[in-house]
Amino acid sequence: MDGSTLGEHLEERGVTRRSFVEFCTEMAVILGLGSAAAPSVANALATQKRPTVIWLEMQECTGCVESVLRTEAPTIGDLVLDVVSLDYSDTLMAAAGHAAEKAKAESMAKNKGSYILIVTGSVPTKEDGIYCTLAGKTIRSHLEEAAEGAAAIIALGACAHWGSVQAARPNPTGAVGVRDIIKNKPIINIAGCPPIGDVVTATVVHFLTFGRLPSMDREGRPLFAYGNRIHDQCSRRAHFDAGQYVENFDDDNARRGWCLYQVGCKGPATYSPCPIVQWNQRTSWPIGAGHPCIGCTEPYFWDTMSPFYQRLPEVGGFGVEKRVDTIGASLAIGAAAGVAAHAGMTVLHQIRARKSSKQLPEHDAAAQEDSNNG
Amino acid sequence: MTTGTPRPPVRLPWFDVRLPRMRGDITWIYLWGAPLRVSHWLAALSLVVLFFTGLFISFPVWTSAGEASSHFLMARFRFTHFLAATVIVFAGIIRVYWLFAGNQFERWPALWPFTRRNVHHMFLMLKSYATLDPKIQPHFVGHNPLAQVAYTLIYLGTTVMMVTGFTMYGQANPGGFFYTLFTWVPGMLGGLQGVRVLHHTVAWLYPIFFSIHIYLAIRADYIERAGVVSSMLTGGRFVMSHEEFEDCDLGDHPSVPWHTGEHPTWVKPQ
Ligand code: SF4
C-alpha cells in the first residue's frame, strides 16, 4: 500500500469515483475555488502519493482532535485511512509506548522533508519546559525534532496558534504557540478553540492539490476560511442593522432570534468561517444557537475578548473593575460639574471685584473716574 | 409728591453703561486665518455628531420592534458616524495644510510650547484658575500655552481616533484600502478588541475637552473683554494699545484699522 497514489489507494479500498468527486467538490467549495474546480482537484489528488502525517499532541485538551473527528466529509475513516497516512497520533494510533515512538522515528526518517506535521497544543517554556513531557523528553524537543523534517506545519487550534487558555494571563507555564518556537518552516494556523474540522481537511487538500499552503492573513490563518468577519456573514446581521438586539438571554428578543451584540457578541472583531461552514455536520453554530461569539479564532481572546457577555473588556486598577465607558462618563460628568462650580465662583469673584472700584483693572478704573467727572 | 422738589436722576443700574473713553486705543487685530476657522467649525460639528452617534453604536438603547426588513436604525447611525468621520478627516487635512501656511500661532512649531518661560506661564495660568485671580494671569495675543497643550492633545487624540476608527471601518472589506492601510494597527494594540477599547477610551476626551474649552473661552471673554469667542468666527480680537503680551510685541507696530484685517504675518515673535 505504501508508495501507491491516492487514487489507487482509494480504488483498493472500494471508494467509488463518485463519492471521491463529491468529496473533492465539497473541498473545492470550502477552499473558495468553486465546484467547477472539483475535477482538477480530483485529478491532482488522485495522482498524489498519500502524504504522511505526523500528529503531535502537546499541552492541550484533545478538543481539537475531537473536532477533526467530527469532520463531515471525509469521516474519520476517510481522513485517517484514505486521504492521509497518519503514522503517529497519540490519541488515534493503536500502538503505545516504545512502539509508538519507534513508529514515529521510522516514519520521520523515511519521509524526511515531505511529511506534514500537524500540531495541537502549546509549548510550555518556563522551567525548561517540564510542564509537558512525553517519552522522557520535553514536548519542545519533540516539536523541534519533528519540525526538522516536515514539509509544512499545520498548527491546529488556538493552543498551537498562540497558546490559548494556558497562555492567558498570568500564563503560569509560559505557554507559547508553534510559531514562537519554529521559525524556519511554513506554518499555517488553523485558528479556533477548537477549529472546524472541515477547515483542516480543506487545508490538507489544498496542500496536496497545489503543493503549497494556501494564502494566509496577517495571523497566518488560511484566507479561504478566515477571510471575513463573522459579523459580515452572520445570519443575525439584518437584526443588527435594524437595531434589534437581545438584551437578556431569556427575553423575547432572544426568542425572536435578534442580534447578540448587546450581550457581548465578538463577531465584529472575529474572523472565522463558522457562519458558513458551521459545526457538527452543518447542524448549527454558536450564534445560530443563540450564544454570542467569544472570538476564539483571534489571538489572546481569553484576555482581550473577555468578559464574554460584555462588549468591552474591563479596566483594572480602579478598585472595582470598570468598563472604560463607565470611567469615561464619570470623568466627563466630573469635568462638567467642575466647570459649573468654577464658573459660579468666577462670576461671584468678578462681581465682588467690580463692585469695589479699587479692584477694577486700571483702564476700567480710569474710565470710571472719567465718566464720573464728566 | 410736592412740586418744586428736584427729582433725583433716573439711574437704573442695568442701563448704567460705563464705556471706557479709549477711542483709538483699541485695535482689532486679525489672528486666525480662514482655513483655521473653517477647520475649527467643521471639526466641532463633526465631533459632536461623532460622539453622539458613537454613543449609540456602543449602547444601542432604542430597539425597534417588528420585522428587521422594515428598520435600518443601527445602519443609519453608523452611516452618519462614517459621514461625520469623512468631515473630520477633511477638517484635519485643512488644519495640516495650515500648520505649514499659517502664522506663528498656527504653524507646527506652536504645537509644542514647552519652553522654560511657557512652562512658567502654564503654572501661572493654573494658579490664576485655581485662585480665581485674573491679575496674575499672563496675557497672550494667541492661545496661552496651557490652552495650546490642550489643543495639541486634541489633535493627537483625533489622530488616534481616525486611525483606530478607520481600522475598524476597514474590517468589513478585508483586502480593501482601509484594511490594507491599517493592517499594522490591530497587531500593535493586541487585536481588534484592543482597537475598539482605545477608540472608546479616547472618545471620552471630547466631552471633557468640550466643556472645559467652551467654558474657558467664555470665561476669558467675560474677564478680559477682548472678543475671544467671536475671534473664531471673525478671525480677530481686540487689543489695548498699551497692553503688554507675552507671546509677541505689538508695541512698534502701527494700529491696523479694524476693517482692513490684514493677515498678521507682521506680528513679530519676541
Ligand atoms: S450576532 Fe454578533 S456577529 Fe451576528 S450580527 Fe450580531 S453582533 Fe454581528
Side-chain angles (χ1 to χ4, degrees):
Chain A
M1 247 169 44
D2 271 337
S4 64
T5 65
L6 192 59
E8 288 161 3
H9 175 71
L10 289 173
E11 217 168 283
E12 256 170 52
R13 288 192 41 88
V15 175
T16 61
R17 173 81 187 161
R18 187 192 169 83
S19 51
F20 177 60
V21 172
E22 264 173 21
F23 163 70
C24 290
T25 310
E26 185 129 4
M27 287 300 121
V29 169
I30 291 182
L31 285 169
L33 304 170
S35 50
S40 334
V41 173
N43 277 344
L45 281 188
T47 52
Q48 282 280 339
K49 218 187 127 226
R50 287 170 69 215
T52 302
V53 168
I54 306 277
W55 187 321
L56 206 56
E57 288 165 61
M58 309 197 292
Q59 210 177 15
E60 63 143 353
C61 72
T62 326
C64 290
V65 183
E66 267 302 309
S67 177
V68 174
L69 301 194
R70 299 284 170 269
T71 311
E72 186 191 4
T75 60
I76 172 62
D78 297 326
L79 178 75
V80 175
L81 301 169
D82 296 340
V83 179
V84 301
S85 157
L86 187 61
D87 286 4
Y88 178 85
S89 161
D90 289 336
T91 308
L92 299 178
M93 72 196 306
H98 293 299
E101 288 305 306
K102 197 165 147 251
K104 182 173 87 168
E106 273 171 13
S107 169
M108 270 165 38
K110 200 165 97 208
N111 300 294
K112 197 165 169 49
S114 68
Y115 61 85
I116 299 173
L117 176 65
I118 296 185
V119 182
T120 51
S122 61
V123 185
T125 55
K126 281 197 186 151
E127 333 283 351
D128 295 325
I130 56 161
Y131 293 110
C132 185
T133 60
L134 181 69
K137 286 193 293 183
T138 63
I139 207 71
R140 182 184 181 143
S141 56
H142 278 280
L143 173 65
E144 280 163 351
E145 221 170 81
E148 189 66 41
I153 302 176
I154 298 179
L156 179 53
C159 294
H161 176 192
W162 55 272
S164 197
V165 70
Q166 56 274 30
R169 279 192 293 268
N171 194 356
T173 63
V176 298
V178 174
R179 62 179 177 184
D180 300 307
I181 304 283
I182 308 297
K183 306 278 186 197
N184 56 355
K185 290 281 169 183
I187 301 175
I188 191 158
N189 293 314
I190 312 295
C193 187
I196 305 172
D198 295 297
V199 176
V200 186
T201 318
T203 305
V204 173
V205 167
H206 187 286
F207 187 74
L208 295 179
T209 309
F210 298 105
R212 59 171 175 81
L213 292 173
S215 48
M216 304 176 217
D217 68 1
R218 58 171 182 255
E219 272 299 318
R221 301 175 293 195
L223 276 171
F224 72 79
Y226 300 89
N228 279 297
R229 282 188 306 178
I230 287 196
H231 189 56
D232 294 323
Q233 316 168 78
C234 180
S235 49
R236 297 183 186 233
R237 179 60 189 262
H239 296 293
F240 173 86
D241 285 333
Q244 301 182 319
Y245 305 100
V246 173
E247 278 155 2
N248 283 299
F249 284 111
D250 55 355
D251 65 7
D252 276 341
N253 304 349
R255 242 162 266 139
R256 291 189 192 106
W258 285 3
C259 167
L260 299 160
Y261 183 75
Q262 288 266 60
V263 284
C265 184
K266 304 301 187 302
T270 306
Y271 285 78
S272 173
C274 291
I276 309 299
V277 180
Q278 304 200 354
W279 290 80
N280 306 328
Q281 344 280 290
R282 314 253 186 297
T283 308
S284 187
W285 62 297
I287 290 175
H291 190 279
C293 168
I294 63 169
C296 77
T297 56
E298 296 296 322
Y300 313 108
F301 75 95
W302 294 102
D303 293 325
T304 60
M305 302 284 184
S306 57
F308 292 147
Y309 302 111
Q310 281 179 20
R311 282 286 305 133
L312 286 177
E314 300 190 321
V315 186
F318 285 84
V320 191
E321 298 213 319
K322 287 252 158 64
R323 290 198 309 178
V324 280
D325 289 330
T326 325
I327 300 164
S330 331
L331 284 178
I333 293 169
V339 158
H342 199 267
M345 286 183 330
T346 302
V347 170
L348 286 181
H349 190 91
Q350 285 294 305
I351 288 174
R352 217 181 303 135
R354 281 173 190 176
K355 258 191 191 152
S356 96
S357 57
K358 264 181 207 153
Q359 302 242 330
L360 278 177
E362 251 171 53
H363 57 272
D364 249 20
Q368 189 65 37
E369 265 156 39
D370 237 18
S371 72
N372 289 345
N373 297 341
Chain B
M1 226 173 257
T2 342
T3 47
T5 318
R7 258 163 59 154
V10 182
R11 289 193 77 183
L12 292 175
W14 297 112
F15 296 114
D16 180 15
V17 184
R18 291 167 296 180
L19 273 177
R21 299 210 174 153
M22 291 214 152
R23 278 183 305 262
D25 281 339
I26 297 175
T27 305
W28 189 85
I29 60 162
Y30 185 58
L31 261 183
W32 310 117
L36 184 104
R37 285 174 281 147
V38 166
S39 80
H40 173 272
W41 292 111
L42 282 181
L45 184 77
S46 58
L47 284 173
V48 170
V49 173
L50 281 165
F51 183 76
F52 286 107
T53 50
L55 265 193
F56 180 83
I57 294 167
S58 59
F59 311 100
V61 278
W62 308 318
T63 34
S64 35
E67 284 298 315
S69 55
S70 49
H71 300 285
F72 214 38
L73 186 66
M74 174 60 103
R76 284 192 216 290
F77 265 94
R78 292 176 69 234
F79 176 77
T80 315
H81 195 73
F82 301 150
L83 194 71
T86 62
V87 174
I88 188 112
V89 168
F90 181 62
I93 291 170
I94 299 176
R95 186 64 189 96
V96 168
Y97 156 65
W98 209 239
L99 279 180
F100 297 96
N103 66 31
Q104 66 177 101
F105 305 116
E106 303 159 331
R107 254 171 214 276
W108 60 269
L111 295 182
W112 196 249
F114 290 100
T115 61
R116 266 182 80 93
R117 242 180 90 228
N118 274 342
V119 171
H120 176 65
H121 287 146
M122 287 178 210
F123 170 75
L124 283 182
M125 291 302 299
L126 280 176
K127 195 172 158 194
S128 103
Y129 287 144
T131 59
L132 302 174
D133 184 358
K135 271 186 260 121
I136 56 170
Q137 190 172 302
H139 289 232
F140 296 90
V141 176
H143 309 304
N144 74 66
L146 201 60
Q148 183 57 63
V149 172
Y151 304 153
T152 305
L153 212 88
I154 280 293
Y155 291 158
L156 260 178
T158 306
T159 312
V160 170
M161 290 306 263
M162 286 178 190
V163 170
T164 52
F166 279 101
T167 304
M168 289 189 281
Y169 177 76
Q171 300 304 315
N173 181 20
F177 177 73
F178 288 111
Y179 179 91
T180 319
L181 192 63
F182 295 122
T183 33
W184 51 276
V185 182
M188 208 171 78
L189 298 172
L192 279 176
Q193 264 322 79
V195 178
R196 189 157 277 126
V197 172
L198 188 61
H199 201 74
H200 277 246
T201 312
V202 179
W204 289 103
L205 202 64
Y206 295 98
I208 296 171
F209 172 77
F210 266 43
S211 50
I212 297 177
H213 173 62
I214 295 170
Y215 165 59
L216 288 183
I218 295 175
R219 184 181 190 270
D221 232 10
Y222 172 60
I223 289 176
E224 293 165 21
R225 294 169 167 171
V228 176
V229 171
S230 65
S231 74
M232 217 11 88
L233 288 165
T234 59
R237 56 170 287 195
F238 295 99
V239 293
M240 305 287 177
S241 51
H242 60 79
E243 216 172 336
E244 299 276 329
F245 292 101
E246 305 289 348
D247 50 350
C248 74
D249 184 5
L250 299 172
D252 307 338
H253 295 282
S255 298
V256 179
W258 79 299
H259 50 273
T260 57
E262 274 168 51
H263 195 257
T265 36
W266 52 269
V267 176
K268 238 200 298 187
Q270 233 178 13

